[in-house]
Amino acid sequence: MKLRKVTAASAVVLALALSATACGGDKKDDTSGSSSSGGGGGTIKIGIKYDQPGLGLKKPDGTFAGFDVDVATYVAKQLGYDADKIEFVETKSADRENALARGDVKFIAATYSITDERKQKVDFAGPYLLAHQDLLIKTDSTIAKGTDLNGKKLCSVTGSTSAQNVQKTIAPDAKLKKVSSYSECIAALQNGAVDAVTTDDSILAGFASQDQYKGKFKLAGLKLSNENYGVGVKKGDSATVDKINKALEKMVSDGSWQKAVDANFGPANYKNEQAPKIGVIVPNAS
């Protein structure tokens, strides 16, 4: 009896050892999880915008769409996470740095322009898109250059640096209308309450690509600033930055990047820049 008990105990120990070995053999990327991203085992939390058509939009059925969503999904796949293992988290502009510092998300793809100030708080992979400040106007508009905005009604959101840039350096006599969201600006442009809307061309193209606006608006193509969109990562997490950069390079080389641009911005006739080189930031003209 004593011999059988020892044998049974040994069998249990052996089984546990084999189980531990099997778990240790999992080669899934560990860039997410309860210890690093706040997510459960085998999932990854990614910060995006919920209210930017063409970039990051939560649709009525609960699914997500947009260029940033496509980039995030591709990157996650390269890190070892299928689409059903992704939890998209709404990450508003004012809370992006805090969300990364708290570990609420593993990375952020949300029209996140790389700036020297932000690089003091977070690390960036990319850039993955070079956008520009521009104007959205009606298709029959005669506005062809920035100075044409003098005397015209211009819409942007409260606190927008884009609108300030126009008023200070481009068209000081433009009549600025400030609202709480770009959706309000687009509605005002449609009904003739304003003559133009200004912010990043990628954001404007996303709105113009919506079914209800197709053929009604166009981008002026003025390139009033350079906005280098990067993937935000928690400060000091260089390993994740390196992995995301490799994923972004592959997305460009296999054609997935251009396919995502065409699908999300194409209807607005968005003349995008070529995919930027990793680590190369295009500065604004001095």
Side-chain angles (χ1 to χ4, degrees):
M1 292 294 293
K2 289 183 179 181
L3 180 59
R4 286 195 295 271
K5 288 180 179 180
V6 171
T7 302
S10 299
V12 171
V13 171
L14 178 59
L16 290 173
L18 290 172
S19 176
T21 301
C23 292
D26 185 0
K27 296 184 182 299
K28 175 184 278 289
D29 185 276
D30 63 355
T31 57
S32 179
S34 58
S35 62
S36 60
S37 72
T43 64
I44 185 169
K45 287 187 174 183
I46 302 173
I48 62 168
K49 295 289 182 66
Y50 274 20
D51 58 353
Q52 290 184 341
L55 286 153
L57 181 69
K58 184 175 183 179
K59 298 191 291 185
D61 63 1
T63 60
F64 300 90
F67 182 71
D68 284 344
V69 174
D70 289 346
V71 169
T73 301
Y74 187 98
V75 168
K77 177 68 174 179
Q78 298 305 307
L79 297 181
Y81 299 90
D82 291 333
D84 62 350
K85 299 299 181 183
I86 298 172
E87 181 180 347
F88 287 118
V89 178
E90 183 176 21
T91 313
K92 296 183 178 181
S93 296
D95 195 45
R96 287 180 295 205
E97 288 82 14
N98 290 333
L100 288 169
R102 292 191 303 260
D104 294 346
V105 294
K106 188 61 182 179
F107 64 83
I108 294 174
T111 59
Y112 205 177
S113 295
I114 301 171
T115 66
D116 289 338
E117 181 180 1
R118 288 170 177 165
K119 286 193 290 186
Q120 301 301 312
K121 300 177 182 179
V122 304
D123 286 338
F124 285 98
Y128 63 89
L129 183 72
L130 176 60
H132 306 282
Q133 182 188 343
D134 202 354
L135 303 175
L136 189 68
I137 54 182
K138 286 188 174 182
T139 53
D140 60 354
S141 174
T142 59
I143 295 174
K145 56 185 183 296
T147 54
D148 290 341
L149 287 172
N150 283 312
K152 302 289 187 181
K153 296 176 182 178
L154 175 67
C155 188
S156 195
V157 299
T158 301
S160 167
T161 56
S162 296
Q164 294 171 11
N165 184 35
V166 170
Q167 285 196 309
K168 289 181 179 179
T169 64
I170 299 170
D173 293 329
K175 301 174 183 178
L176 180 61
K177 177 182 178 65
K178 298 179 181 179
V179 296
S180 61
S181 71
Y182 286 112
S183 295
E184 293 179 62
C185 279
I186 301 301
L189 180 61
Q190 183 180 29
N191 64 31
V194 299
D195 301 297
V197 180
T198 187
T199 187
D200 296 357
D201 54 6
S202 58
I203 297 174
L204 295 173
F207 277 104
S209 295
Q210 291 182 288
D211 288 340
Q212 67 267 38
Y213 299 133
K214 287 180 181 178
K216 297 181 179 180
F217 305 136
K218 65 181 180 180
L219 291 167
L222 302 184
K223 297 184 179 180
L224 302 174
S225 72
N226 294 323
E227 305 295 336
N228 299 268
Y229 289 176
V231 177
V233 177
K234 186 175 183 179
K235 190 70 176 176
D237 190 357
S238 58
T240 298
V241 169
D242 290 342
K243 292 174 183 177
I244 294 177
N245 279 335
K246 289 179 181 178
L248 293 173
E249 289 174 343
K250 183 177 180 181
M251 186 177 186
V252 172
S253 65
D254 70 12
S256 298
W257 184 89
Q258 188 61 52
K259 183 179 179 181
V261 168
D262 293 342
N264 292 293
F265 303 130
N269 196 29
Y270 177 55
K271 295 177 175 61
N272 63 283
E273 300 281 1
Q274 292 184 343
K277 293 183 178 180
I278 298 300
V280 178
I281 306 300
V282 180
N284 286 309
S286 56

